Amino acid sequence: MTSAAEIQVLYFAALREAAGRESETVVLNNGETAAVVYQRLAAQHGFALPQERLRCAVNHQFAAWDTALKAGDILAFIPPVAGG
């Protein structure tokens, strides 16, 4: 019996539009960080925003891009917000 380490990924604004969805379940590879998951999903969905322009959050708290992820985590990619 195999158990996949799955996380929930949340998308906002331009990333949501590019992915065509608000969220998705992603299977983690061993030792993946938030940065690695973003790179993988950026290639899959064609995200135009570079990682340096985004923030990430793990389990509803801002986190560093080198945060190691574990099964059950919620990872959010947050693009810059324009306002005035």
Side-chain angles (χ1 to χ4, degrees):
M1 179 176 183
T2 40
S3 65
E6 294 182 339
I7 62 169
Q8 188 72 19
V9 177
L10 308 178
Y11 302 113
F12 298 95
L15 298 178
R16 180 177 56 221
E17 292 175 24
R21 62 190 80 179
E22 293 181 2
S23 66
E24 69 179 299
T25 299
V26 172
V27 175
L28 288 177
N29 295 314
N30 191 27
E32 280 190 314
T33 63
V36 172
V37 171
Y38 182 75
Q39 292 167 2
R40 180 163 46 115
L41 293 172
Q44 178 181 332
H45 295 301
F47 295 153
L49 287 170
Q51 175 187 320
E52 298 78 28
R53 301 230 10 241
L54 304 171
R55 295 208 52 196
C56 72
V58 177
N59 299 324
H60 309 290
Q61 295 188 357
F62 286 116
W65 283 101
D66 62 354
T67 299
L69 301 169
K70 61 186 182 313
D73 281 347
I74 299 170
L75 173 62
F77 298 124
I78 305 162
V81 177

